Amino acid sequence: MMPALAQDQKAPPLVEQINNGNWLPQAEAESLRDDLYYQTAVQAYIQTLPILNTIGLRDGSEAAFGSGYNVLPIWKDRMDSRAWVPTPNADVIYSMSYLDLKKDGPLVVAAPPNVIGMFTDFYQRTITDVGAIGPDRARGGLYLLLPPDYDGDVPKGYFAFKSSTNNVFLFFRTVMGKGENGPDPAPAVALAERTRIYPLWAPEKDVKPMEFPNASGKRVNMMYPTDSTFWSKLKDYVDYEPVVSIDPVTRGVLAAIGIVKGVPFEPTEKQKELLQKAVITAPKMIMANRQLGRSDKRNLYYKDRQYENTWAAGTAEWSQSNYLDVMQRASFFQVAYSSAPAMVMRTLDAGSKYPFTVRDADGDFLDGSKSYKLHLPPHPPAALFWAVTAYNITDGTMPETDQSLPSINGFNKVKTNEDGSIDLFFGPHKPEASPDTNFIQTVDGRAFLVTVRLYGTGVEFYDQTWKPDDVVKLQ
């Protein structure tokens, strides 16, 4: 017989906290388990959105234009609002393809000169920049992409890189020339069509000829999933890619919801409901985080402006001085894709910068029902070109209006002021003060954001002697 506890004897704190040291009631235990499963699924979404972002790009592209190492869709007449892509750039010529190193083995990409581009793995971690910031230094060159498990010979003469995933994203941008009536895509398209991709060990006679389908003007959905296919596509990715392509902590989060490499993914009916709930709620949580802002204000470019830095002054991989900025990364991939050092490093006259704003000068959110003016001081510090674009705030797609291109760039015939400065206007209808050439149409009743792009960024941007004015609401 156990002796009775002395009157002054106490139970440990957790024993007292949880049901006086007894098991939970069955119904409460089951409810808590379901809640934990749901919360874990939300974290899984946040951690893996970069992967699904790339998968959405690939699946939409391949459904519309075909697949294979030799298929390189090019938006030959620029990308417009009919392409559902996160924050696409309408002011350069896009070439994007998806390479499978497990299927085709090591691949060589002959990159043309003067490309602004990158290769990333499918977690959107940069393999290498291509172009002025890449090893070819804008001269073009042969890039050799090696599978994660490759242990064979690496021949000389290539810029050789091993990918951490079997799938690789190729993203090239070529700069348009200035035509008589605005940007001329033809030189940029011709340059992009010089790209050649072929298996390293294939004889010339067996290499498939390149195909360059024109992706412009087509309705194509290249967005990440918004339903439970998010999880089935993620499971396919986990099964296809090396285990180590995902860090152990994230693998543990995925395992907790039943996604393990080589193991069937068979959620119960209740778990399917929770997964569906997570894929609806998680993007709202990310968006709420963007809406309410950071307490440390690292994301603000200026002390006296509303413009934000989408990397929040971190690295291209969202590393801060002593932590991985997971929520900032998720915020980026909700509205954008492709991050590379050339976008983050303070490179003079070669890199690119993208200050954006969701607020006007008064701190109010930009409202597509209202009219606004943006004043750009003279001489934007952009050796290649500058551009201003409007986007939907939710996912970074272009607002679809009577204008197919909600963007204005330095190659356009834009009306300038006497001092060389430029006033651009936004609204559901053209304000009276706006010239036709200086107007970007918004969607009545829908919020929007404005991005200022500076390609070949100059020193005046970095020392902040040149700053775009805040967007001002017109009365």
Side-chain angles (χ1 to χ4, degrees):
M1 185 173 179
M2 296 291 292
L5 291 174
Q7 287 188 348
D8 62 346
Q9 195 167 355
K10 300 293 184 182
L14 195 61
V15 171
E16 288 189 348
Q17 181 178 319
I18 301 179
N19 206 24
N20 198 30
N22 294 300
W23 293 110
L24 300 170
Q26 184 71 10
E28 183 182 1
E30 290 176 357
S31 176
L32 289 168
R33 180 190 59 190
D34 290 345
D35 190 41
L36 177 60
Y37 186 91
Y38 163 68
Q39 291 185 33
T40 306
V42 168
Q43 290 303 313
Y45 181 103
I46 290 170
Q47 294 282 1
T48 61
L49 184 55
I51 298 171
L52 272 297
N53 182 300
T54 327
I55 288 171
L57 292 169
R58 179 197 64 190
D59 291 354
S61 175
E62 292 186 349
F65 311 118
S67 63
Y69 67 80
N70 62 316
V71 177
L72 180 60
I74 302 175
W75 277 260
K76 300 180 183 181
D77 303 296
R78 304 165 65 182
M79 188 178 281
D80 62 34
S81 58
R82 285 168 288 190
W84 290 351
V85 175
T87 52
N89 187 347
D91 303 290
V92 291
I93 297 301
Y94 270 14
S95 309
M96 302 196 296
S97 70
Y98 312 87
L99 310 176
D100 188 338
L101 304 177
K102 178 184 279 191
K103 176 183 175 183
D104 297 311
L107 288 172
V108 177
V109 180
N114 298 314
V115 160
I116 304 171
M118 67 192 77
F119 299 106
T120 74
D121 69 11
F122 258 40
Y123 218 128
Q124 298 209 44
R125 295 168 294 209
T126 305
I127 298 171
T128 180
D129 277 300
V130 178
I133 308 301
D136 68 283
R137 294 295 185 260
R139 296 185 295 261
L142 299 176
Y143 285 80
L144 174 56
L145 301 173
L146 302 169
D149 59 353
Y150 185 77
D151 60 1
D153 292 336
V154 180
K156 298 184 184 302
Y158 299 91
F159 302 122
F161 296 91
K162 183 179 284 191
S163 173
S164 59
T165 59
N166 293 304
N167 287 281
V168 171
F169 177 39
L170 178 159
F171 180 29
F172 286 177
R173 292 157 289 180
T174 45
V175 178
M176 295 182 288
K178 187 167 186 176
E180 188 174 335
N181 296 306
D184 180 8
V189 172
L191 192 62
E193 289 184 339
R194 291 178 58 183
T195 305
R196 293 294 181 270
I197 306 171
Y198 53 88
L200 174 64
W201 304 115
E204 284 84 347
K205 62 184 176 61
D206 295 332
V207 173
K208 298 176 184 177
M210 291 296 295
E211 299 176 15
F212 301 107
N214 185 359
S216 291
K218 296 179 174 60
R219 172 76 63 192
V220 55
N221 180 3
M222 298 170 65
M223 296 299 299
Y224 44 85
T226 56
D227 57 18
S228 286
T229 59
F230 188 100
W231 306 111
S232 57
K233 288 178 182 292
L234 179 57
K235 174 64 166 105
D236 291 343
Y237 171 90
V238 168
D239 284 343
Y240 197 76
E241 296 293 351
V243 169
V244 295
S245 71
I246 299 177
D247 68 271
V249 173
T250 303
R251 291 203 304 270
V253 170
L254 296 182
I257 61 171
I259 296 179
V260 179
K261 184 179 176 71
V263 178
F265 178 44
E266 299 173 340
T268 65
E269 290 304 312
K270 179 62 176 179
Q271 288 172 338
K272 288 178 182 178
E273 293 177 12
L274 296 171
L275 290 169
Q276 176 63 19
K277 180 183 176 183
V279 87
I280 291 173
T281 308
K284 289 182 180 179
M285 291 176 171
I286 296 170
M287 186 172 174
N289 204 54
R290 291 195 287 121
Q291 177 176 339
L292 299 175
R294 297 173 63 108
S295 59
D296 62 10
K297 307 297 184 184
R298 287 185 61 83
N299 57 312
L300 294 182
Y301 257 118
Y302 311 107
K303 294 180 179 179
D304 60 347
R305 299 283 195 281
Q306 300 288 348
Y307 291 92
E308 298 184 43
N309 177 344
T310 193
W311 290 269
T315 69
E317 294 77 29
W318 287 273
S319 291
Q320 300 290 359
S321 60
N322 57 7
Y323 65 95
L324 177 64
D325 206 338
V326 174
M327 284 308 303
Q328 191 69 32
R329 182 179 68 179
S331 295
F332 178 92
F333 285 109
Q334 185 169 69
V335 296
Y337 70 97
S338 292
S339 174
M343 299 175 171
V344 177
M345 296 188 306
R346 300 172 190 182
T347 305
L348 297 180
D349 302 325
S352 50
K353 287 289 173 278
Y354 311 86
F356 74 96
T357 183
V358 298
R359 298 177 184 270
D360 65 18
D362 296 325
D364 298 325
F365 288 118
L366 299 176
D367 180 351
S369 306
K370 298 179 171 61
S371 296
Y372 299 88
K373 181 176 77 170
L374 168 61
H375 180 76
L376 297 178
H379 313 300
L384 295 175
F385 70 93
W386 63 266
V388 172
T389 311
Y391 294 106
N392 293 318
I393 61 159
T394 311
D395 57 7
T397 52
M398 292 180 179
E400 195 161 351
T401 68
D402 294 338
Q403 292 179 334
S404 61
L405 297 168
S407 189
I408 294 172
N409 65 55
F411 295 139
N412 289 120
K413 284 193 170 182
V414 181
K415 182 179 179 181
T416 61
N417 302 318
E418 289 185 5
D419 63 353
S421 64
I422 298 169
D423 293 321
L424 303 179
F425 296 83
F426 307 85
H429 310 287
K430 186 172 72 68
E432 289 185 10
S434 174
D436 291 343
T437 56
N438 295 39
F439 171 61
I440 295 175
Q441 189 174 17
T442 59
V443 176
D444 195 352
R446 183 185 298 168
F448 68 102
L449 66 86
V450 171
T451 296
V452 178
R453 283 185 168 88
L454 301 168
Y455 274 82
T457 318
V459 67
E460 297 83 2
F461 176 80
Y462 297 115
D463 63 19
Q464 299 195 1
T465 56
W466 185 95
K467 293 184 285 190
D469 282 12
D470 274 328
V471 177
V472 176
K473 190 187 300 109
L474 299 177
Q475 300 302 324

